[in-house]
Amino acid sequence: MKKLLLASCALLLSLNSAQADEQKLTISVYGFAQDAFKEILYKPFEEKCGCELVVETGNSVERLAKMEANKDHPVIDLAVMTTQDALAAHRKDLTDKIDTSKLANFDKLYDIAKDPNGDGHSLGYTFYTSSIAYRSDKIDLTSWKDLLSDKLAGHVALPNITTSQGPLTLYMLGKAMGDDDTTLKAPIEEVGKHKDDIVTFYVRSSQLVQLMQQEEIWAAPIGRFAWKGFSKMDLPIKWATPKEGQSGGMNVMVLTKGSEHRDLALQFMDFWLSTDIQTKLAEGLVDSPANKDVKVSDDIADNLTYGADTVANLHLIPSDVMIDNRDKWLNQWNEKVGQ
């Protein structure tokens, strides 16, 4: 009888543990604005689903590496990343196709967010423009070429080639130099010539707010998603509108292949894409909406990548070009710029 009772207790504990595990969703996201995401997205979802949300943070390349390292035993259920890393994840067989029939908000997305890489393995949740945040009291910035000008020498930060902003910045520098070649050879060589004038080649955009606050830098290329931290500073900081235009991209959600919580992940994905959540994130200047039903004031819109016209006029680098040239870019960078 005692053995039977112990066995029953063990079974009950096992079932309770399994049930608890079923109500736990692990997501991997970018590290910025996590307090806002917690209040606007995470807490409301946990209250709605009665589940626990485990949030890991890092950059896109880091989570791709973690997904690959744990391919046989996934530790992440849903991840967000750049479109090119999402394509790389699909090529490595790390993601599952998304069943959009289970997403009530799918049809509300801008068309280019519905299947960014044409493989059915990712959904765009936010767009962003990439331009330059700069101290308007120190410089007048009108071109991407100004990043390497004498007036900014010793007061500028550039993104490392390994970041999502790295290739975009180099591409726009190339355009400013009259070179549209996606080999990025010319702009990399030009950065190499000026590397001693660069305060830092940053890996995380969160580094830049402190550098700007301490007046160590006057300008840095950033994605619009990182603008909120700069806009809150008690300094005259502007968002540049270079004559060559702006680059940018899209961040997407993917489902990890082999996840045991796919249904819960889809629920979270749909919740994130809802008009209500996307509106609140936009109004908080956290993310620009991929949901075309989102309406915001002109003041809010001016601080976002907002509206179909804006999205349609970005100078983007296709995901396959990004992936197929990444190693070549890195080799050139290491040779001309170093670490």
Side-chain angles (χ1 to χ4, degrees):
M1 179 65 71
K2 186 176 180 180
K3 290 182 179 180
L4 181 61
L5 183 60
L6 289 172
S8 298
C9 288
L11 178 61
L12 183 60
L13 287 171
S14 177
L15 290 173
N16 286 339
S17 177
Q19 186 176 18
D21 186 57
E22 287 177 2
Q23 294 304 309
K24 182 182 291 187
L25 183 70
T26 301
I27 65 172
S28 183
V29 298
Y30 296 102
F32 75 95
Q34 281 303 294
D35 288 342
F37 274 114
K38 185 176 182 180
E39 291 302 315
I40 296 172
L41 178 61
Y42 304 157
K43 280 186 177 180
F45 180 73
E46 287 180 320
E47 292 171 1
K48 179 180 180 180
C49 71
C51 61
E52 178 186 355
L53 204 58
V54 178
V55 182
E56 298 183 0
T57 60
N59 65 37
S60 187
V61 174
E62 289 171 342
R63 71 178 52 93
L64 177 61
K66 184 170 184 177
M67 289 171 66
E68 187 169 12
N70 294 277
K71 180 177 182 179
D72 295 333
H73 302 284
V75 295
I76 298 168
D77 299 304
L78 179 149
V80 304
M81 53 184 58
T82 63
T83 51
Q84 61 267 24
D85 284 339
L87 180 58
H90 178 208
R91 288 181 177 183
K92 294 174 183 291
D93 197 28
L94 302 176
T95 58
D96 273 329
K97 191 169 185 177
I98 299 171
D99 185 355
T100 58
S101 68
K102 294 184 178 181
L103 303 177
N105 294 293
F106 177 73
D107 288 337
K108 297 179 182 179
L109 299 178
Y110 289 106
D111 286 343
I112 63 171
K114 292 179 178 178
D115 188 9
N117 289 323
D119 55 18
H121 281 244
S122 62
L123 283 178
Y125 68 91
T126 185
F127 305 103
Y128 63 86
T129 47
S130 291
S131 189
I132 305 162
Y134 72 100
R135 285 282 299 271
S136 59
D137 60 327
K138 301 290 187 181
I139 54 168
D140 181 23
L141 202 154
T142 60
S143 169
W144 286 88
K145 286 193 297 185
D146 292 337
L147 288 170
L148 302 179
S149 65
D150 291 341
K151 61 185 177 181
L152 268 179
H155 296 286
V156 63
L158 294 182
N160 192 285
I161 188 66
T162 59
T163 67
S164 58
Q165 296 304 301
L168 302 180
T169 296
L170 290 166
Y171 181 57
M172 296 310 296
L173 275 171
K175 287 181 72 68
M177 295 165 58
D179 188 328
D180 273 339
D181 192 347
T182 54
T183 64
L184 303 183
K185 181 178 179 180
I188 288 175
E189 287 185 353
E190 194 66 18
V191 169
K193 294 176 184 177
H194 294 269
K195 63 182 179 181
D196 292 337
D197 296 332
I198 311 302
V199 174
T200 184
F201 291 101
Y202 74 84
V203 176
R204 299 180 189 277
S205 57
S206 55
Q207 297 173 248
L208 302 176
V209 174
Q210 184 176 1
L211 290 173
M212 190 77 81
Q213 188 72 57
Q214 295 172 343
E215 301 198 35
E216 293 185 49
I217 62 171
W218 296 345
I222 62 170
R224 183 60 104 167
F225 54 81
W227 173 244
K228 184 177 181 180
F230 294 89
S231 66
K232 288 186 172 182
M233 287 187 201
D234 188 23
L235 291 170
I237 301 175
K238 288 187 177 181
W239 178 267
T241 53
K243 59 186 178 183
E244 300 86 12
Q246 302 177 67
S247 188
M250 189 188 322
N251 285 327
V252 301
M253 293 183 276
V254 299
L255 298 177
T256 305
K257 186 168 186 176
S259 165
E260 297 179 357
H261 310 107
R262 186 176 292 106
D263 288 342
L264 191 57
L266 284 169
Q267 290 176 40
F268 178 70
M269 184 179 288
D270 199 38
F271 187 73
W272 195 338
L273 297 175
S274 68
T275 305
D276 179 54
I277 296 301
Q278 292 250 312
T279 297
K280 289 176 179 176
L281 290 170
E283 290 175 342
L285 302 183
V286 179
D287 266 341
S288 298
N291 183 322
K292 61 188 176 185
D293 288 352
V294 171
K295 306 297 180 188
V296 297
S297 68
D298 290 344
D299 288 342
I300 295 294
D302 286 343
N303 287 285
L304 298 172
T305 304
Y306 178 78
D309 290 343
T310 300
V311 171
N313 287 289
L314 298 177
H315 296 279
L316 305 179
I317 304 176
S319 294
D320 57 342
V321 172
M322 293 281 275
I323 294 175
D324 295 340
N325 287 279
R326 185 177 287 166
D327 289 343
K328 297 175 185 176
W329 292 341
L330 182 57
N331 289 337
Q332 292 179 61
W333 180 271
N334 288 339
E335 179 184 346
K336 300 295 182 179
V337 182
Q339 298 299 316

